[in-house]
Coordinates of all heavy atoms in Angstrom, one line a residue:
M1 N -30.4 32.4 14.0 CA -31.0 32.6 12.7 C -32.4 32.1 12.8 O -32.7 31.1 13.3 CB -30.2 31.7 11.6 CG -30.9 31.8 10.3 SD -30.0 30.8 9.1 CE -28.7 31.9 8.6
C2 N -33.3 33.0 12.3 CA -34.7 32.6 12.3 C -34.9 31.4 11.3 O -34.3 31.2 10.2 CB -35.5 33.7 11.7 SG -35.4 35.2 12.8
T3 N -35.8 30.4 11.8 CA -36.1 29.3 11.0 C -37.3 29.6 10.0 O -37.3 29.0 8.9 CB -36.5 28.1 11.8 OG1 -37.8 28.4 12.4 CG2 -35.4 27.8 13.0
M4 N -38.2 30.5 10.4 CA -39.4 30.8 9.5 C -40.2 29.6 9.4 O -41.0 29.5 8.4 CB -39.0 31.4 8.2 CG -38.0 32.6 8.2 SD -38.6 34.0 9.2 CE -39.9 34.6 8.0
I5 N -40.1 28.6 10.2 CA -41.0 27.4 10.3 C -42.3 27.7 11.0 O -42.2 27.9 12.2 CB -40.3 26.2 10.8 CG1 -39.0 25.9 10.1 CG2 -41.2 25.0 10.9 CD1 -38.1 24.8 10.8
V6 N -43.4 27.7 10.3 CA -44.7 28.0 10.9 C -45.8 27.3 10.1 O -45.7 27.1 9.0 CB -45.0 29.5 11.0 CG1 -45.1 30.2 9.7 CG2 -46.1 29.8 11.8
Q7 N -46.8 26.7 10.8 CA -47.9 26.2 10.2 C -49.2 26.5 11.1 O -48.9 26.9 12.3 CB -47.8 24.7 10.2 CG -46.7 24.1 9.3 CD -46.9 22.6 9.0 OE1 -47.9 22.0 9.2 NE2 -45.8 22.1 8.7
Q8 N -50.4 26.6 10.5 CA -51.5 26.9 11.2 C -52.5 25.8 11.2 O -52.5 25.0 10.2 CB -52.2 28.0 10.5 CG -51.4 29.3 10.5 CD -52.0 30.5 9.8 OE1 -52.6 30.3 8.8 NE2 -51.8 31.8 10.3
A9 N -53.3 25.7 12.3 CA -54.3 24.5 12.3 C -55.6 25.2 12.7 O -55.6 26.1 13.7 CB -53.9 23.5 13.4
T10 N -56.6 24.8 12.1 CA -57.9 25.2 12.5 C -58.4 24.4 13.7 O -58.2 23.0 13.6 CB -59.1 25.0 11.4 OG1 -58.6 25.9 10.2 CG2 -60.4 25.4 11.8
I11 N -58.8 24.9 14.7 CA -59.1 24.2 16.0 C -60.5 24.6 16.5 O -61.0 25.6 16.1 CB -58.0 24.3 17.0 CG1 -57.9 25.8 17.5 CG2 -56.8 23.8 16.5 CD1 -57.0 26.0 18.7
D12 N -61.0 23.8 17.4 CA -62.2 24.1 18.2 C -62.1 23.8 19.6 O -61.7 22.7 19.9 CB -63.3 23.3 17.5 CG -64.7 23.6 18.0 OD1 -64.9 24.7 18.5 OD2 -65.6 22.7 18.0
G13 N -62.2 24.8 20.4 CA -62.0 24.7 21.8 C -62.2 26.1 22.5 O -62.8 26.9 22.0
S14 N -61.6 26.0 23.8 CA -61.6 27.4 24.6 C -60.3 27.5 25.1 O -59.6 26.6 25.5 CB -62.7 27.2 25.6 OG -64.0 27.1 25.2
G15 N -60.0 28.8 25.3 CA -58.7 29.1 26.0 C -59.1 30.3 27.0 O -60.0 31.0 26.9
K16 N -58.2 30.4 28.0 CA -58.3 31.4 29.0 C -57.3 32.3 29.0 O -56.2 32.0 29.2 CB -58.4 30.7 30.4 CG -58.9 31.7 31.5 CD -59.1 31.0 32.9 CE -59.5 32.0 33.9 NZ -59.8 31.3 35.2
G17 N -57.6 33.6 28.7 CA -56.6 34.7 28.6 C -56.8 35.6 29.7 O -57.5 35.2 30.7
A18 N -56.2 36.7 29.7 CA -56.3 37.7 30.8 C -57.7 38.2 31.1 O -58.0 38.6 32.1 CB -55.5 39.0 30.4
G19 N -58.5 38.2 30.0 CA -59.9 38.7 30.2 C -60.9 37.5 30.3 O -62.1 37.7 30.3
G20 N -60.4 36.3 30.6 CA -61.4 35.2 30.8 C -61.3 34.2 29.6 O -60.5 34.2 28.8
W21 N -62.3 33.3 29.6 CA -62.4 32.3 28.6 C -62.9 33.0 27.3 O -63.7 33.8 27.3 CB -63.3 31.2 29.1 CG -62.8 30.4 30.1 CD1 -63.0 30.6 31.5 CD2 -61.9 29.2 30.0 NE1 -62.3 29.7 32.2 CE2 -61.7 28.8 31.3 CE3 -61.3 28.6 28.9 CZ2 -60.9 27.7 31.5 CZ3 -60.6 27.5 29.1 CH2 -60.2 27.1 30.5
F22 N -62.4 32.3 26.2 CA -62.9 32.7 24.9 C -62.8 31.4 23.9 O -62.0 30.5 24.2 CB -62.2 33.9 24.3 CG -60.6 33.6 24.2 CD1 -60.1 33.2 23.0 CD2 -59.7 33.8 25.3 CE1 -58.8 32.8 22.9 CE2 -58.3 33.5 25.1 CZ -57.8 33.0 24.0
P23 N -63.6 31.5 22.8 CA -63.6 30.3 22.0 C -62.3 30.4 21.1 O -61.9 31.5 20.6 CB -64.8 30.5 21.1 CG -65.2 31.8 21.3 CD -64.7 32.4 22.6
L24 N -61.6 29.2 21.0 CA -60.4 29.1 20.1 C -60.9 28.7 18.7 O -61.7 27.9 18.5 CB -59.3 28.2 20.6 CG -58.8 28.6 22.1 CD1 -58.0 27.4 22.6 CD2 -58.0 29.8 21.9
R25 N -60.1 29.3 17.7 CA -60.4 29.0 16.3 C -59.1 28.6 15.6 O -59.4 28.0 14.5 CB -61.1 30.2 15.7 CG -62.4 30.5 16.2 CD -63.4 29.5 16.0 NE -64.7 29.8 16.5 CZ -65.3 29.2 17.6 NH1 -64.6 28.2 18.1 NH2 -66.4 29.5 18.1
Q26 N -58.0 29.0 16.1 CA -56.7 28.7 15.2 C -55.6 28.5 16.2 O -55.5 29.2 17.3 CB -56.4 29.9 14.4 CG -55.3 29.7 13.4 CD -55.2 30.8 12.4 OE1 -56.3 31.2 11.9 NE2 -54.1 31.4 12.2
A27 N -54.6 27.6 15.7 CA -53.3 27.5 16.5 C -52.2 27.7 15.5 O -52.3 27.2 14.4 CB -53.2 26.1 17.1
N28 N -51.5 28.7 15.8 CA -50.2 29.0 15.0 C -49.1 28.3 15.7 O -48.7 28.6 16.8 CB -50.0 30.5 14.9 CG -51.2 31.3 14.4 OD1 -51.8 30.8 13.4 ND2 -51.6 32.4 15.0
V29 N -48.5 27.4 14.9 CA -47.4 26.6 15.5 C -46.1 26.9 14.9 O -46.1 26.8 13.6 CB -47.7 25.1 15.4 CG1 -46.6 24.2 16.1 CG2 -49.0 24.7 16.1
S30 N -45.1 27.2 15.5 CA -43.8 27.6 14.8 C -42.7 27.0 15.6 O -42.8 26.7 16.8 CB -43.6 29.2 14.8 OG -43.4 29.7 16.1
Y31 N -41.6 26.9 15.0 CA -40.3 26.5 15.7 C -39.3 27.5 15.3 O -38.8 27.6 14.2 CB -39.7 25.1 15.2 CG -38.5 24.7 16.0 CD1 -38.8 24.2 17.3 CD2 -37.2 24.8 15.6 CE1 -37.6 23.9 18.1 CE2 -36.2 24.4 16.3 CZ -36.4 24.0 17.6 OH -35.3 23.6 18.4
D32 N -39.1 28.5 16.2 CA -38.3 29.7 15.9 C -37.8 30.4 17.2 O -37.9 29.7 18.3 CB -39.2 30.6 15.1 CG -38.3 31.4 14.1 OD1 -37.1 31.7 14.4 OD2 -38.8 31.8 13.1
H33 N -37.3 31.4 17.2 CA -36.9 32.2 18.4 C -38.1 32.4 19.4 O -39.1 33.0 18.9 CB -36.2 33.5 18.1 CG -35.1 33.5 17.2 ND1 -33.9 32.7 17.6 CD2 -34.9 33.8 16.0 CE1 -33.0 32.8 16.7 NE2 -33.6 33.5 15.6
P34 N -38.0 32.0 20.6 CA -39.1 32.4 21.6 C -39.1 33.8 22.2 O -37.9 34.4 22.0 CB -38.9 31.3 22.6 CG -37.4 31.1 22.7 CD -37.0 31.2 21.2
F35 N -40.0 34.3 22.7 CA -40.0 35.6 23.3 C -39.5 35.5 24.8 O -38.9 36.4 25.3 CB -41.4 36.2 23.3 CG -41.8 36.8 22.0 CD1 -42.4 36.0 21.1 CD2 -41.3 38.0 21.5 CE1 -42.9 36.4 19.8 CE2 -41.6 38.5 20.3 CZ -42.4 37.8 19.5
H36 N -39.9 34.5 25.5 CA -39.7 34.3 26.9 C -38.7 33.2 27.4 O -37.8 33.4 28.2 CB -41.0 34.4 27.7 CG -40.9 34.5 29.1 ND1 -40.7 33.4 30.0 CD2 -40.8 35.6 29.9 CE1 -40.6 33.9 31.2 NE2 -40.6 35.2 31.1
V37 N -39.0 32.0 27.0 CA -38.2 30.9 27.5 C -36.7 31.1 26.9 O -36.5 31.5 25.8 CB -38.8 29.6 27.0 CG1 -38.6 29.3 25.5 CG2 -38.2 28.3 27.8
P38 N -35.8 30.8 27.9 CA -34.4 31.1 27.6 C -33.7 29.9 26.7 O -32.8 29.3 27.1 CB -33.8 31.1 29.0 CG -34.4 30.2 29.8 CD -35.9 30.4 29.3
L39 N -34.2 29.8 25.5 CA -33.7 29.0 24.4 C -33.5 29.7 23.1 O -34.1 30.7 22.9 CB -34.7 27.8 24.2 CG -35.0 26.9 25.3 CD1 -36.3 26.0 24.9 CD2 -33.8 26.0 25.7
E40 N -32.6 29.1 22.4 CA -32.3 29.8 21.0 C -33.5 29.7 20.1 O -34.0 30.6 19.4 CB -31.0 29.2 20.3 CG -30.7 29.7 19.0 CD -30.3 31.2 19.0 OE1 -29.9 31.6 20.1 OE2 -30.4 31.8 18.0
H41 N -34.1 28.5 20.1 CA -35.3 28.1 19.4 C -36.3 27.2 20.3 O -35.7 26.6 21.2 CB -35.0 27.3 18.1 CG -34.1 28.0 17.1 ND1 -32.8 27.8 17.0 CD2 -34.5 28.9 16.2 CE1 -32.4 28.6 16.1 NE2 -33.3 29.3 15.5
A42 N -37.4 27.5 20.0 CA -38.5 26.7 20.8 C -39.7 26.4 20.0 O -39.9 27.0 18.8 CB -39.0 27.5 22.0
L43 N -40.5 25.4 20.4 CA -41.8 25.2 19.8 C -42.7 26.1 20.4 O -43.0 26.1 21.6 CB -42.2 23.7 20.0 CG -43.4 23.1 19.2 CD1 -44.7 23.7 19.6 CD2 -43.1 23.1 17.8
N44 N -43.2 27.0 19.5 CA -44.2 28.2 19.9 C -45.6 28.0 19.4 O -45.7 27.6 18.2 CB -43.7 29.5 19.4 CG -42.2 29.7 19.7 OD1 -41.7 29.7 20.8 ND2 -41.4 29.8 18.7
I45 N -46.5 28.0 20.4 CA -48.0 27.8 19.9 C -48.8 28.9 20.4 O -48.7 29.3 21.6 CB -48.5 26.5 20.5 CG1 -47.7 25.2 20.3 CG2 -50.0 26.3 19.9 CD1 -48.1 24.0 21.0
D46 N -49.4 29.6 19.5 CA -50.3 30.7 19.8 C -51.7 30.2 19.5 O -52.0 29.9 18.3 CB -50.0 31.9 19.0 CG -48.7 32.6 19.4 OD1 -48.5 32.6 20.6 OD2 -48.1 33.1 18.4
F47 N -52.5 30.0 20.5 CA -54.0 29.6 20.4 C -54.6 31.0 20.3 O -54.5 31.8 21.2 CB -54.4 28.9 21.6 CG -53.7 27.6 21.8 CD1 -52.7 27.5 22.7 CD2 -54.1 26.5 21.1 CE1 -52.1 26.3 22.9 CE2 -53.5 25.2 21.2 CZ -52.5 25.1 22.2
V48 N -55.3 31.2 19.1 CA -56.0 32.5 18.9 C -57.4 32.5 18.4 O -57.9 31.4 18.0 CB -55.2 33.3 17.9 CG1 -53.7 33.5 18.4 CG2 -55.2 32.7 16.6
N49 N -58.1 33.5 18.6 CA -59.4 33.7 17.9 C -59.3 35.1 17.3 O -59.5 36.2 18.0 CB -60.6 33.6 18.9 CG -61.9 33.8 18.3 OD1 -62.0 34.4 17.1 ND2 -62.9 33.1 18.7
E50 N -58.9 35.3 16.0 CA -58.6 36.5 15.4 C -59.9 37.4 15.4 O -59.8 38.6 15.4 CB -58.0 36.4 14.0 CG -56.7 35.7 14.1 CD -56.0 35.7 12.7 OE1 -56.6 36.0 11.7 OE2 -54.8 35.3 12.6
G51 N -61.0 36.7 15.4 CA -62.4 37.5 15.4 C -62.5 38.3 16.6 O -63.3 39.2 16.7
Q52 N -61.8 38.0 17.7 CA -62.0 38.7 19.0 C -60.8 39.6 19.4 O -60.7 40.0 20.5 CB -62.3 37.7 20.1 CG -63.6 36.9 20.0 CD -64.0 36.2 21.2 OE1 -63.3 36.2 22.2 NE2 -65.1 35.5 21.2
G53 N -59.9 39.8 18.4 CA -58.8 40.7 18.7 C -57.7 40.1 19.4 O -57.6 38.9 19.5
L54 N -56.7 41.1 19.7 CA -55.4 40.6 20.2 C -55.6 40.1 21.7 O -54.6 39.3 22.0 CB -54.5 41.8 20.3 CG -54.1 42.4 18.8 CD1 -53.2 43.7 19.0 CD2 -53.5 41.5 18.0
G55 N -56.6 40.4 22.3 CA -56.7 39.9 23.7 C -57.1 38.4 23.7 O -57.0 37.7 24.7
A56 N -57.6 37.9 22.6 CA -58.0 36.5 22.5 C -56.9 35.7 22.1 O -56.8 35.1 21.0 CB -59.2 36.3 21.6
R57 N -55.9 35.5 23.0 CA -54.7 34.7 22.6 C -54.0 34.1 23.9 O -53.9 34.8 24.9 CB -53.6 35.7 22.0 CG -52.3 35.1 21.7 CD -51.4 36.1 21.1 NE -50.1 35.6 20.9 CZ -48.9 36.3 20.7 NH1 -49.0 37.6 20.8 NH2 -47.8 35.7 20.5
V58 N -53.6 32.9 23.7 CA -52.9 32.1 24.8 C -51.6 31.5 24.1 O -51.7 30.9 23.0 CB -53.8 31.0 25.3 CG1 -52.9 30.3 26.4 CG2 -55.1 31.5 26.0
S59 N -50.5 31.9 24.7 CA -49.2 31.5 24.0 C -48.5 30.5 24.9 O -48.5 30.7 26.1 CB -48.3 32.7 23.7 OG -49.0 33.6 22.8
V60 N -47.7 29.6 24.4 CA -46.8 28.7 25.1 C -45.5 28.6 24.3 O -45.6 28.6 23.0 CB -47.4 27.3 25.4 CG1 -48.6 27.5 26.3 CG2 -47.8 26.6 24.1
E61 N -44.5 28.5 24.9 CA -43.1 28.2 24.3 C -42.5 26.9 25.0 O -42.4 27.1 26.2 CB -42.2 29.5 24.5 CG -42.7 30.7 23.8 CD -41.9 32.0 24.2 OE1 -41.2 31.9 25.2 OE2 -42.0 32.9 23.4
L62 N -42.3 26.0 24.3 CA -41.7 24.7 24.8 C -40.5 24.3 24.2 O -40.1 24.6 23.0 CB -42.8 23.6 24.5 CG -44.2 23.8 25.0 CD1 -45.1 22.8 24.5 CD2 -44.2 23.8 26.5
S63 N -39.6 23.7 25.0 CA -38.3 23.0 24.4 C -38.8 22.0 23.4 O -39.9 21.4 23.5 CB -37.5 22.4 25.5 OG -38.0 21.3 26.1
A64 N -37.9 21.5 22.5 CA -38.3 20.5 21.6 C -38.7 19.2 22.4 O -39.7 18.5 22.0 CB -37.1 20.2 20.7
A65 N -37.9 18.8 23.5 CA -38.2 17.7 24.3 C -39.5 17.8 24.9 O -40.4 16.8 25.0 CB -37.2 17.4 25.3
A66 N -39.9 18.9 25.5 CA -41.1 19.2 26.1 C -42.3 19.1 25.2 O -43.3 18.5 25.5 CB -41.2 20.5 26.9
A67 N -42.2 19.6 24.0 CA -43.1 19.6 23.0 C -43.4 18.1 22.4 O -44.6 17.8 22.3 CB -42.7 20.3 21.7
R68 N -42.4 17.4 22.3 CA -42.5 16.0 22.0 C -43.2 15.3 23.1 O -44.2 14.4 22.9 CB -41.2 15.3 21.7 CG -40.6 15.7 20.3 CD -39.2 15.0 20.2 NE -38.4 15.7 19.2 CZ -38.5 15.6 17.9 NH1 -39.5 14.8 17.4 NH2 -37.6 16.2 17.1
S69 N -42.8 15.4 24.3 CA -43.5 14.8 25.5 C -45.0 15.2 25.5 O -45.8 14.3 25.8 CB -42.7 15.2 26.7 OG -43.4 14.6 27.9
L70 N -45.3 16.4 25.3 CA -46.6 16.9 25.4 C -47.5 16.3 24.2 O -48.6 15.7 24.5 CB -46.8 18.4 25.3 CG -48.1 19.0 25.2 CD1 -48.9 18.6 26.5 CD2 -48.0 20.4 25.0
A71 N -46.9 16.2 23.1 CA -47.6 15.6 21.9 C -47.8 14.1 22.3 O -49.0 13.7 22.1 CB -46.8 15.7 20.6
E72 N -46.9 13.4 22.7 CA -47.1 11.9 23.1 C -48.1 11.7 24.1 O -48.9 10.8 24.1 CB -45.7 11.3 23.5 CG -44.8 11.2 22.3 CD -43.3 10.9 22.7 OE1 -43.1 10.7 24.0 OE2 -42.5 10.8 21.9
T73 N -48.2 12.7 25.1 CA -49.1 12.5 26.2 C -50.5 12.8 25.7 O -51.5 12.2 26.2 CB -48.7 13.5 27.3 OG1 -47.4 13.2 27.9 CG2 -49.7 13.5 28.6
I74 N -50.7 13.8 24.9 CA -52.0 14.2 24.3 C -52.5 12.9 23.6 O -53.6 12.5 23.8 CB -52.0 15.4 23.4 CG1 -51.7 16.6 24.3 CG2 -53.2 15.5 22.6 CD1 -51.3 17.9 23.5
L75 N -51.7 12.3 22.7 CA -52.1 11.2 21.9 C -52.4 9.9 22.9 O -53.4 9.2 22.5 CB -51.0 10.8 20.8 CG -50.8 11.8 19.7 CD1 -49.7 11.4 18.9 CD2 -52.1 12.1 19.0
A76 N -51.6 9.8 23.8 CA -51.9 8.7 24.8 C -53.2 8.8 25.6 O -54.0 7.9 25.7 CB -50.8 8.6 25.8
V77 N -53.5 10.1 25.9 CA -54.7 10.4 26.7 C -56.0 10.1 25.7 O -57.0 9.5 26.1 CB -54.8 11.8 27.3 CG1 -56.2 12.2 27.7 CG2 -53.7 11.8 28.3
L78 N -55.8 10.6 24.5 CA -56.9 10.4 23.5 C -57.2 8.9 23.2 O -58.3 8.5 23.1 CB -56.7 11.2 22.2 CG -56.7 12.7 22.3 CD1 -56.3 13.5 21.1 CD2 -58.2 13.2 22.8
A79 N -56.0 8.3 23.1 CA -56.1 6.8 22.8 C -56.9 6.1 24.0 O -57.7 5.2 23.7 CB -54.7 6.1 22.6
Q80 N -56.5 6.4 25.2 CA -57.1 5.9 26.5 C -58.6 6.3 26.4 O -59.5 5.4 26.7 CB -56.4 6.4 27.6 CG -56.9 5.7 28.9 CD -56.1 6.1 30.1 OE1 -55.2 6.9 30.0 NE2 -56.6 5.7 31.4
A81 N -59.0 7.5 26.1 CA -60.4 7.9 26.1 C -61.1 7.1 25.0 O -62.3 6.7 25.2 CB -60.5 9.4 25.9
E82 N -60.6 6.9 23.9 CA -61.3 6.3 22.8 C -61.4 4.8 23.1 O -62.5 4.3 22.9 CB -60.4 6.4 21.5 CG -61.1 5.8 20.3 CD -60.3 6.1 19.0 OE1 -59.0 6.0 19.0 OE2 -60.9 6.3 17.9
A83 N -60.5 4.3 23.7 CA -60.5 2.9 24.1 C -61.6 2.6 25.1 O -62.3 1.6 25.2 CB -59.2 2.3 24.6
G84 N -61.9 3.6 25.9 CA -62.8 3.5 26.9 C -64.2 4.0 26.4 O -65.2 4.0 27.3
G85 N -64.4 4.3 25.2 CA -65.6 4.7 24.6 C -66.1 6.1 25.1 O -67.2 6.5 25.1
H86 N -65.0 7.0 25.5 CA -65.4 8.3 26.0 C -65.2 9.4 25.0 O -65.4 10.5 25.3 CB -64.5 8.6 27.3 CG -64.7 7.5 28.4 ND1 -65.8 7.4 29.0 CD2 -63.8 6.6 28.8 CE1 -65.7 6.4 29.8 NE2 -64.4 5.9 29.9
L87 N -64.6 9.0 23.8 CA -64.2 10.1 22.9 C -65.3 10.6 22.1 O -66.0 9.8 21.4 CB -63.0 9.6 22.0 CG -62.3 10.6 21.1 CD1 -61.6 11.5 22.0 CD2 -61.4 9.9 20.3
D88 N -65.7 11.9 22.3 CA -66.8 12.5 21.5 C -66.1 13.2 20.3 O -65.5 14.2 20.5 CB -67.5 13.5 22.3 CG -68.2 12.8 23.6 OD1 -68.6 11.7 23.5 OD2 -68.2 13.5 24.6
E89 N -66.2 12.7 19.0 CA -65.7 13.4 17.9 C -66.6 14.5 17.5 O -67.8 14.4 17.2 CB -65.5 12.4 16.7 CG -64.4 11.4 17.0 CD -63.0 12.0 16.9 OE1 -62.8 13.0 16.3 OE2 -62.1 11.4 17.5
V90 N -66.0 15.7 17.4 CA -66.7 16.8 16.9 C -65.9 17.3 15.7 O -64.8 17.6 15.9 CB -66.8 17.9 18.0 CG1 -67.5 19.1 17.4 CG2 -67.6 17.4 19.3
A91 N -66.6 17.5 14.6 CA -66.0 18.0 13.4 C -65.5 19.4 13.6 O -66.3 20.3 14.2 CB -66.9 17.8 12.2
V92 N -64.3 19.7 13.2 CA -63.8 21.1 13.2 C -64.2 21.8 12.0 O -64.0 21.3 10.9 CB -62.3 21.2 13.4 CG1 -61.8 22.6 13.3 CG2 -61.8 20.5 14.8
A93 N -64.9 23.0 12.1 CA -65.3 23.8 10.9 C -64.0 24.4 10.2 O -63.2 24.9 10.9 CB -66.2 24.9 11.3
L94 N -64.0 24.1 9.0 CA -62.8 24.6 8.2 C -63.2 25.9 7.5 O -64.1 26.2 7.1 CB -62.3 23.6 7.2 CG -61.7 22.3 7.9 CD1 -61.4 21.3 6.8 CD2 -60.5 22.6 8.8

């Protein structure tokens, strides 16, 4: 059964797709049926730049455990960077 759980986040960064690097503007995050990973449901993230068309997309599908591990690792790395005075805060344009 589809969960229909999806949220969007405005982001600022770069992604590398089939055509090379492109600026990222949005992440679509869902917990629903994946396309590729052999799970009934997965945490699916589509990093996109809708202004550059369908080719400006990077997708990942993670198990819930992998998604939690990744989220914890990202926060730990950012905390370490901040503690070391290396974190450059850049406001994301909304």
Side-chain angles (χ1 to χ4, degrees):
M1 175 180 284
C2 295
T3 68
M4 307 301 284
I5 299 170
V6 62
Q7 294 192 21
Q8 297 177 326
T10 300
I11 61 172
D12 187 21
S14 295
K16 188 173 183 182
W21 288 96
F22 59 93
L24 294 174
R25 297 293 178 249
Q26 183 174 314
N28 302 318
V29 182
S30 66
Y31 188 77
D32 214 327
H33 300 295
F35 284 94
H36 190 266
V37 70
L39 297 169
E40 179 67 19
H41 295 100
L43 190 291
N44 310 299
I45 307 172
D46 289 322
F47 297 99
V48 299
N49 184 331
E50 291 185 0
Q52 293 194 359
L54 296 176
R57 176 180 177 198
V58 176
S59 300
V60 295
E61 298 174 339
L62 304 169
S63 68
R68 290 181 198 277
S69 176
L70 177 61
E72 291 170 0
T73 302
I74 290 170
L75 293 175
V77 167
L78 288 173
Q80 187 176 356
E82 186 173 37
H86 304 292
L87 194 61
D88 301 322
E89 288 289 340
V90 177
V92 175
L94 299 175

